[in-house]
Amino acid sequence: MRRTLLEGLLHRPLSEPPPAVDAAELEAVARAVGVAARARLGRSLSIREIDAGSCNGCELEIIALGNAFYDLERFGLRFVASPRHADVLLVTGPVTRNMRAALLRTWEATPDPKWVVAVGACAHDGGEFAGSYACERSVGAVLPVDLFIPGCPPAPVDLLKGLLGLLTLSAPR
Amino acid sequence: MPTILPELRAATRVEAHHPWPRFVVDVASWRVAGGELAAGRWTLLGLWGEADSVHMAVLRGDRDAIAVLTLPCADRRFPAIGARHAPAIRLERAAQDLFGFAAEGLPDARPWLDHGAWPVRAPLGRAEPVADAAVPYPFLPAEGGALHQIAVGPVHAGIIEPGHFRFHADGETVVRLEERLGYTHKGTEALMQGADLARAARLAGRISGDSTVASALAFAHAVEAALGLAPPPRAVWLRALAAELERLANHLGDVGAVCNDASFAIINAHCAVLRERVLRAAAVAFGHRLMMDRVVPGGVAANLDATGAAAITALVAAVRQRFPRLVELYDSTASLQDRVVGTGRLDPALARQFGCGGFVGRASGRDFDARRWPGYPPYDDLRFDVPVRTEGDVNARVWIRIEEIGASLGLIEQLLAGLPAGDVRAKVGSSAEAEGAALVEGFRGDILAWVRVAADGTVARCHVRDPSWFQWPVLEAAVDGNIVADFPLCNKSFNCAYSGHDL
């Protein structure tokens, strides 16, 4: 224990510099989020993650955002346990019909202003599960989506780019 | 008479089913099979439907023989195996929902995967349209003076998959836990029907994202068994390399997560770093952090170059250097040991009855690992230990994983050292209808895949049974008598798949 803690003090942190968010991505986020967000949120966002029927691949990469390399919380982004505390709903999966009601109720439980970020190919257009009797077409078919982060699953660095874009634009200038 | 299962008096062996035999049986033999399972002489490996028949895969003895039994049921009725053998109950409830069957005598007739939200009833059977109306789902009762209920999910507080847990508690003590699953049902089996092999392999790789390599490998093995195809040796070794990296990543992540659920965050922080290093090495070596879509029927869709091999070598060195210290910390921290030792104990008799695979079974005395038996290449050329313990508590499951991390590191070194040269993908073709089955050891346990490939090379029917089917039910028993606050710890120590189970 002592050795592990001592090393933690003496070594440089593993956390890596944030990825650059390019202008085109920022513009896309700006269009999606609109001006209203900028004044209200300051430089922090509380995120409630909802698995709406993903294969859990997206969850693995979202969890990885918390490891020392990405260290999400240093940017003012944090995951919260309740939709009541959330600004952003981060939704994965093709929205299975069995999860539709729970997703809607979670959205309704989230106070305004709120944003929906759809994560992964399934959330965008059903991905490999498009056309199934058991799935809605996408997150967009159930909720108004403000931002889409592509990938199957998106790597943590892609998730970080999308969320940082949201943060940059929602901060007062 | 099938010599492989002499218990069955009347059975017709089906041609073109590999590598294990498939027998078409009558109702009397189906009942005999139910009796063998109930008596504990056979273990249920899977049970799934088809339009006009129901199949089950069984293991005879501890590692004697495997066979698939098929009961034709044109009238869509069959005697429930679950009437005498509890591990079949959820599988039969699922078969009822998907195919419109009636499993006669099933003690629990409530729907399982069908929550009343689909536009069709019996989507893989007659697919009759239904109006959108949720069906009430009565939870099982618990009776007593001061009991209260706690309803959790399907949306959970953490970043995890959706499912519902209904607790009956007496103060802090869990009197009954009941799971309700099916929220992530995506209709994967229906999508596979009629799909070409490439598309079906992508679907197999998304049954449970954390087991993408193992599930795709089980599917590929089944297809290759059906078509009589042998992938090139280099592909076989690269598959094992990917599978061991996947096992390593999951075990590292979960050992940390179990400690985190006991509020000991420092091990989680360090394990998460090691897990990230595994995924980064996988991205360098195989071009995808989770190695999705790399295992395909016929071989692998990625080759390993010197850079990839070097990344994996460096990874093994890093884990070997860092992990033992975390294990020492785990084992010597009294407050942590107080939480994990004796918590969430799974009775070895239950593990045996349910045929629990993976670390769940091996922590409760069930000595089964599909890599060793029935076995598949290249593991017959490799040395590895399969740890087994009997305590069956959270601590035992953590220790099995710790020891398997060591075993996987050893396997990865052997795989890198002995990697054959040559092609990594064989041409896949089919000319006649054929069936295949496979058992592959994922990080959670043995994954059963069964496939019928049509003459045109598409998938006529495919079923993939995740290990979670036989682990979720016993979690309910393992939690019994523990305090509610220890449930996350117990649950994480099992880490059953929701998506893998719900399909």
Side-chain angles (χ1 to χ4, degrees), chain B residues 62-113:
Chain B
D62 286 331
R63 49 183 87 171
D64 186 0
I66 292 174
V68 177
L69 308 184
T70 301
L71 177 68
C73 52
D75 60 350
R76 295 186 293 155
R77 298 172 171 283
F78 66 93
I81 297 296
R84 295 167 71 189
H85 189 55
I89 292 175
R90 287 182 180 174
L91 290 158
E92 291 181 324
R93 289 168 70 186
Q96 292 192 141
D97 290 353
L98 296 176
F99 293 90
F101 290 154
E104 292 178 314
L106 194 62
D108 187 345
R110 293 173 298 170
W112 183 238
L113 299 178

Side-chain angles (χ1 to χ4, degrees), chain B residues 278-308:
Chain B
V278 179
L279 300 196
R280 289 181 174 201
V284 173
F286 291 98
H288 189 284
R289 285 165 52 91
L290 303 178
M291 298 169 283
M292 259 177 185
D293 304 327
R294 270 39 189 182
V295 176
V296 292
V300 287
N303 208 340
L304 185 75
D305 58 16
T307 314

